[in-house]
Amino acid sequence: MWKFRLRGIEDLRQLCDQLEVSVEATEDVSILAEPVRAGPLIIPNSLAVHPMEGCDGDSQGRPGKLTLRRYERFAAGGAGLIWAEATAVVPEGRANPRQLWLHRENKESFASMVKMMRQAAAESMGPSHQPVIVLQLTHSGRYSRPESTAHPIIAQRDPYRDALIPQKKPNPNTQSKIPDDWPLVTDDYLEKLQDAYVEAARIALDVGFDAVDIKSCHGYLINELFGCRDRKGKYGGSFENRTRFPLEVIDKIHEALGGDAAVVTRLGVYDAIPYPFGWAIDKDDYTRPDLTEPKKLIGLLRQRGVHLINITVANPYYNPHVGRPFNEPIVGGYEEPEHPLVGVSRLVNINAEIQKAFGDIATVGTGYSWLRTLFANVGAANKAAGRTTLVGAGRMAFAYPDFAKDIVTGGRMVPEKVCVSCSACTQIMRDRGTTGCVVKDHKVYGPIFEKGRMSDRDNLARLGAACRKCQEPTCQLACPAGVDIPKFISQFLDGDEKGGYETLREANIFPEVCAWLCPTEQQCEGYCLQRFIGDGALPIAAIQRYLAELANERGWSKLRIPQQTTGRNIAIVGAGPAGLACAARLLEAGHAVTVFDASSEFGGLIASVIPPDRQSDSLRNEIAAVFAEVPKDRMILRPGKALDAQFNLDRIVGEQFDAVFVGMGLPKSVGISDKNLDGLWNALEFLSKAKGSRRPDVEGKRVAVIGGGNTAMDAAVAAKKLGAKDVYVVYRRSFEEMPAWSAERDRAINGGVHFMILTQPIDFYSSDGKLTGIRVCPTQLGEPDASGRRRPEPVESSAYHIETDIAIEAIGQGPPEEISKILPGVELKSGLIQTKPGSLATSRPGVFAGGDLVRGASTVVAAVADGMAAAREINEFLKTQT
């Protein structure tokens, strides 16, 4: 890593002399405030934001919250040109499942984003500042990954890029590669794809974008076509064929939308890949660009009214940089085989050569972010010398979204704000996260970066290596499922990912969801010896999650169901972790199961109330993967079938099932009041609504969450994310007695939630049936109660009133109403099922139970372990039945 030691222009000059390169700079940067005309487009200053993908759209291609946040910051940042990121024109052309994708069903979300951007720009820079907003239209080609695994669409066989497919590596000693028999994209597909570009352009201009970019760079589909010298058909071979696609797309856009429809392009003008596969390279030395063909193409673009071109080179994510041997894999962020200033000089000179050849085209220069505060000084010098028309910021805009405002209004960039070229934003993308500046925007992107690093195999292997030195696997003793932790970690370190997963699966059929939701800091990792005598606990959960996700992607986790059935059918009541784990093991034993659940979506409370950020898509993915190939006659699903006093256990037993497993959980939320007030919620209902489309209206309101468990933390964080002005957790004991896991409590604190500890709610205030406040009093801690925690003693003489608009009761969870009538013949105590000592068999013959309705509120892994243990008992029970 080359260290940055440029304190000013003189340091830059000395370094240029040392490296024998030319990069000029000037103290006066006022030229960057000058407006630019690019055909019909009037750009209010000479500064641009490059198309920097955030990977933060939703599954339908709509801009997500972080997308909107980023573009609001860009717009308020003062740049005259905002080049919005790569947006797919067809779903199969998305580079990742969260890439933006423009189509008729989501056009209004893009319209709202453009409107928001224009408002933010006017509020920040004044009503006369109207930035030009370009939407980049793309097809990712060989880098297409519309689902969790890559599905490349390639235009040619390329020995350099074929070996760099963006997907998880199955083994640390091998590199993922596009198979040798992978088909090439057909001419017919390419012809139809042109119509998709036209339709996307129509929508983009209709919703308010000023221009559309036909993206032609970075190795994606159109850029790859430029180098297809050996491809047969109308899109390969000659220069005319290789450049045919984007030119025909532009012609069709103008034909459909009129000649004044503004079309621009971000154009890769040098691939740095050996001939004949690379575009615009010297035939004998691929490290030298040959701009003959790019200039010829730009001339054809100019004939079609393209007056704005964003110049770039190579591929910043999967191609080696110039000067790096092509047989060396890239690991981590940007590799630097040469001094970064050499690369800056190359980009400046390439842009200069094109700009001087086409003085009537506005070019956007690339490669300035490494210069830090000298970004503006070098950009101004290049514009003054006619080497570029606009100066663009890529990574710099992530770190310093208001760089343009500071340059235009203050004549300088603030050193504390600039990008430090650490490439963490790129690493997030490699780790499949939503990207931004980890250093300057750490509160938002720091946790995302950390999460991504904990999904990278090489990083996990480095952190997990100390497991081999362990003298006593105390971690395993703290795992409710009894997973052989040293064994699966050792297999992972040896590169035997499938073997490691099989070790996990023996004890836990749902290792991915458990890795997300279990309190590992209190279980396995909390008892890891390295926590006490080393550098910290090993990332046991992260390695488990990595193996489980890989297994689900590769089909290792699907149930192994024997062809021959036993003829036995078992009823599973409740499709939460316990019920599904039991069902899975019974199916593998050859039995059939019928699953009853009150909800239409399986997964229990995990699916219905636990926020997505705590579990990602783990539950949905793992259920789909595990039960992927179950024959319909082996697993009968009866969703939306709640048990009650009429449809009860007697009715189910009467349907001639051979055994029953009850894993209903604790679906009832416990509160302190039976008042029916507008604004008073129970936590389970609130969280369920918060996950749906008709979310609770808490925008700008004060919210009090009563309770101190994980559900209370979930409700508090959810309310804050829904826009509540202030959120208070009201808890009658101290932090030490709080039942919420420390990680969940910290998540709430970091999310801006306030805590009122040693505070006891007494009653609710209301007006016209609407909640207005809560009467509370301080508490003092007395002697421990039955739970082992110190008992809170209210001091009602010091009671007081707090105003609040919303109150969410998260005191606890209980069994369903009329549980004794729902489960006749089953012994209960305090609403919980009583099982026989050392068994999961209930007092009713043939009926077994597990999970929270037996244990009380517990962990996911404990429920899964119950379900699997119950399946073993049921299997043995069935052997005794004739």
Side-chain angles (χ1 to χ4, degrees):
M1 177 69 71
W2 301 96
K3 292 185 177 180
F4 185 89
R5 292 193 173 96
L6 303 181
R7 293 167 295 178
I9 293 176
E10 183 56 36
D11 287 346
L12 176 63
R13 289 178 181 142
Q14 292 179 13
L15 183 58
C16 285
D17 291 342
Q18 178 184 334
L19 297 173
E20 298 181 342
V21 298
S22 176
V23 178
E24 296 182 11
T26 179
E27 293 287 357
D28 183 5
V29 300
S30 60
I31 193 172
L32 297 177
E34 294 181 357
V36 170
R37 176 180 286 275
L41 304 173
I42 306 298
I43 303 169
N45 58 50
S46 303
L47 293 161
V49 173
H50 284 312
M52 298 296 292
E53 188 174 350
C55 306
D56 46 22
D58 69 10
S59 62
Q60 300 304 307
R62 296 169 296 201
K65 287 184 177 180
L66 289 179
T67 318
L68 299 174
R69 176 182 183 269
R70 185 169 65 258
Y71 282 103
E72 183 174 32
R73 284 155 60 92
F74 287 166
L81 174 62
I82 302 174
W83 207 296
E85 68 195 71
T87 301
V89 298
V90 289
E92 70 272 17
R94 299 170 82 181
N96 64 79
R98 298 185 305 275
Q99 185 176 42
L100 301 185
W101 161 39
L102 180 62
H103 50 92
R104 288 199 170 276
E105 285 71 28
N106 68 7
K107 60 182 292 186
E108 292 306 319
S109 61
F110 283 87
S112 297
M113 184 177 83
V114 173
K115 182 179 178 181
M116 173 269 294
M117 291 173 68
R118 299 207 183 281
Q119 181 177 345
E123 290 175 354
S124 175
M125 302 294 292
S128 63
H129 177 81
Q130 300 180 28
V132 168
I133 306 175
V134 174
L135 183 64
Q136 185 173 79
L137 303 181
T138 190
H139 187 298
S140 299
R142 65 173 52 248
Y143 303 122
S144 295
R145 185 172 62 85
E147 305 281 339
S148 59
T149 56
H151 190 83
I153 298 175
I154 61 176
Q156 65 174 340
R157 300 308 318 210
D158 181 333
Y160 304 104
R161 286 183 282 206
D162 282 0
L164 293 165
I165 181 172
Q167 65 180 20
K168 289 186 177 179
K169 299 177 184 179
N171 188 291
N173 302 314
T174 62
Q175 187 156 359
S176 299
K177 180 180 180 296
I178 296 176
D180 293 336
D181 59 350
W182 198 262
L184 302 184
V185 65
T186 65
D187 285 2
D188 181 61
Y189 178 90
L190 292 173
E191 289 174 1
K192 293 178 180 177
L193 181 61
Q194 292 182 9
D195 295 332
Y197 272 91
V198 174
E199 178 64 11
R202 184 195 309 275
I203 297 170
L205 296 176
D206 182 51
V207 301
F209 288 97
D210 297 297
V212 291
D213 161 24
I214 309 304
K215 181 180 181 180
S216 306
C217 60
H218 296 164
Y220 295 99
L221 184 59
I222 294 178
N223 181 227
E224 182 176 7
L225 287 170
F226 293 161
C228 286
R229 295 177 178 85
D230 294 332
R231 180 184 170 90
K232 305 300 181 182
K234 64 186 292 187
Y235 295 106
S238 67
F239 167 83
E240 289 73 20
N241 283 353
R242 288 183 282 117
T243 59
R244 178 190 303 275
F245 186 91
L247 297 176
E248 289 185 344
V249 167
I250 294 171
D251 288 341
K252 288 184 176 181
I253 289 174
H254 286 151
E255 180 182 348
L257 307 181
D260 58 347
V263 181
V264 302
T265 186
R266 190 169 204 210
L267 181 64
V269 296
Y270 168 47
D271 281 352
I273 289 178
Y275 188 88
F277 306 100
W279 151 255
I281 44 91
D282 186 290
K283 290 184 179 180
D284 301 316
D285 182 2
Y286 71 88
T287 68
R288 297 175 55 190
D290 180 346
L291 302 184
T292 303
E293 288 195 339
K295 288 180 182 177
K296 188 175 179 181
L297 173 58
I298 292 172
L300 297 172
L301 292 169
R302 178 171 59 183
Q303 292 176 15
R304 287 163 170 80
V306 175
H307 299 285
L308 177 65
I309 299 180
N310 191 316
I311 302 295
T312 185
V313 302
N315 184 328
Y317 304 117
Y318 293 100
N319 277 356
H321 281 202
V322 174
R324 180 181 179 83
F326 281 88
N327 60 350
E328 292 184 17
I330 294 177
V331 179
Y334 286 89
E335 293 291 325
E336 295 178 325
E338 62 186 11
H339 195 286
L341 191 59
V342 175
V344 172
S345 175
R346 180 185 296 109
L347 285 165
V348 166
N349 291 331
I350 287 174
N351 199 97
E353 183 176 341
I354 291 172
Q355 183 69 85
K356 290 180 179 180
F358 299 93
D360 58 339
I361 289 180
T363 66
V364 185
T366 303
Y368 291 87
S369 288
W370 179 83
L371 295 165
R372 286 137 163 108
T373 55
L374 295 177
F375 172 107
N377 306 99
V378 174
N382 287 333
K383 180 174 175 65
R387 300 186 190 98
T388 192
T389 308
L390 296 104
V391 180
R395 290 179 289 170
M396 180 67 76
F398 273 161
Y400 190 174
D402 54 342
F403 74 96
K405 186 174 184 177
D406 285 350
I407 293 171
V408 171
T409 61
R412 62 186 290 272
M413 297 176 74
V414 179
E416 294 80 9
K417 293 182 177 181
V418 297
C419 169
V420 297
S421 300
C422 66
S423 290
C425 56
T426 302
Q427 187 62 58
I428 291 180
M429 293 183 69
R430 291 178 181 277
D431 292 336
R432 301 189 179 183
T434 55
T435 194
C437 184
V438 177
V439 177
K440 306 297 182 179
D441 203 1
H442 185 77
K443 185 175 181 180
V444 173
Y445 292 100
I448 299 172
F449 177 79
E450 181 179 355
K451 174 182 170 183
R453 291 286 67 220
M454 297 307 288
S455 68
D456 177 77
R457 194 202 189 286
D458 295 331
N459 189 47
L460 291 174
R462 177 182 65 83
L463 295 173
C467 188
R468 296 194 190 277
K469 305 175 185 178
C470 186
Q471 298 176 339
E472 181 68 31
T474 53
C475 58
Q476 187 172 342
L477 300 176
C479 175
V483 172
D484 190 338
I485 295 172
K487 183 179 179 181
F488 90 71
I489 290 182
S490 179
Q491 290 169 311
F492 165 76
L493 293 174
D494 291 338
D496 182 13
E497 279 99 343
K498 188 172 184 180
Y501 172 74
E502 291 297 332
T503 297
L504 279 168
R505 191 182 187 280
E506 288 175 10
N508 184 350
I509 195 72
F510 296 123
E512 182 181 353
V513 70
C514 291
W516 275 101
L517 291 177
C518 282
T520 54
E521 71 277 7
Q522 297 177 11
Q523 294 178 342
C524 54
E525 292 179 13
Y527 285 80
C528 173
L529 284 183
Q530 291 300 312
R531 178 189 174 201
F532 306 103
I533 63 175
D535 296 327
L538 270 61
I540 298 170
I543 295 173
Q544 175 172 315
R545 183 164 55 243
Y546 175 90
L547 292 173
E549 289 177 351
L550 196 64
N552 293 334
E553 287 183 8
R554 301 192 179 281
W556 303 339
S557 54
K558 63 185 177 183
L559 295 180
R560 298 87 190 260
I561 300 177
Q563 290 186 349
Q564 193 68 31
T565 179
T566 64
R568 301 299 186 92
N569 191 6
I570 297 91
I572 306 292
V573 181
L580 292 177
C582 185
R585 281 294 189 250
L586 291 171
L587 286 165
E588 290 193 322
H591 309 308
V593 299
T594 298
V595 183
F596 299 84
D597 196 85
S599 174
S600 59
E601 180 181 11
F602 286 173
L605 291 180
I606 299 176
S608 61
V609 304
I610 293 183
D613 58 336
R614 274 190 61 200
Q615 58 169 308
S616 184
D617 289 324
S618 61
L619 178 70
R620 184 181 300 107
N621 292 343
E622 197 152 37
I623 290 175
V626 169
F627 295 99
E629 297 181 8
V630 177
K632 291 183 179 180
D633 62 336
R634 298 287 185 94
M635 187 174 185
I636 299 170
L637 307 179
R638 295 178 69 174
K641 196 65 178 175
L643 269 65
D644 52 30
Q646 285 70 47
F647 186 80
N648 61 7
L649 183 60
D650 284 342
R651 286 280 301 275
I652 289 178
V653 171
E655 292 188 23
Q656 302 303 309
F657 288 105
D658 297 289
V660 178
F661 175 76
V662 179
M664 295 167 59
L666 299 172
K668 180 183 175 184
S669 188
V670 177
I672 63 172
S673 172
D674 57 1
K675 291 182 178 180
N676 184 16
L677 300 175
D678 181 11
L680 179 60
W681 293 77
N682 73 66
L684 298 185
E685 182 184 8
F686 180 85
L687 287 167
S688 179
K689 293 285 187 183
K691 290 186 72 172
S693 57
R694 301 183 65 180
R695 297 173 178 172
D697 179 17
V698 300
E699 183 79 31
K701 296 180 180 179
R702 294 161 299 183
V703 178
V705 179
I706 301 169
N710 291 331
T711 302
M713 302 304 116
D714 283 340
V717 172
K720 192 67 178 174
K721 288 186 175 182
L722 289 174
K725 180 181 180 181
D726 286 301
V727 179
Y728 300 87
V729 167
V730 182
Y731 180 58
R732 59 183 184 160
R733 289 184 168 101
S734 69
F735 275 125
E736 185 176 350
E737 285 82 17
M738 187 173 285
W741 304 333
S742 58
E744 296 309 307
R745 185 186 67 201
D746 292 345
R747 183 170 66 98
I749 293 173
N750 294 335
V753 174
H754 312 301
F755 282 75
M756 296 177 64
I757 60 171
L758 296 173
T759 303
Q760 171 79 57
I762 301 173
D763 199 2
F764 297 106
Y765 293 103
S766 63
S767 176
D768 297 326
K770 184 176 179 60
L771 179 74
T772 59
I774 308 175
R775 181 174 175 79
V776 299
C777 71
T779 63
Q780 297 176 344
L781 296 180
E783 295 301 313
D785 60 15
S787 71
R789 296 175 295 164
R790 295 180 65 186
R791 185 188 306 276
E793 299 174 349
V795 184
E796 294 197 27
S797 60
S798 298
Y800 58 98
H801 172 259
I802 59 173
E803 294 183 356
T804 186
D805 305 298
I806 303 286
I808 304 169
E809 295 185 291
I811 304 222
Q813 294 163 223
E817 298 282 357
E818 301 184 301
I819 184 65
S820 61
K821 295 181 179 179
I822 292 173
L823 300 176
V826 173
E827 182 182 349
L828 304 170
K829 183 177 180 180
S830 300
L832 298 180
I833 296 174
Q834 301 300 292
T835 58
K836 297 178 180 179
S839 170
L840 292 171
T842 71
S843 58
R844 181 163 179 166
V847 177
F848 300 77
D852 289 358
L853 195 53
V854 174
R855 295 172 172 267
S858 188
T859 62
V860 175
V861 68
V864 171
D866 279 357
M868 295 173 68
R872 289 191 293 270
E873 287 195 51
I874 291 170
N875 200 41
E876 292 302 315
F877 168 78
L878 293 176
K879 292 178 182 178
T880 68
Q881 306 300 302
T882 57

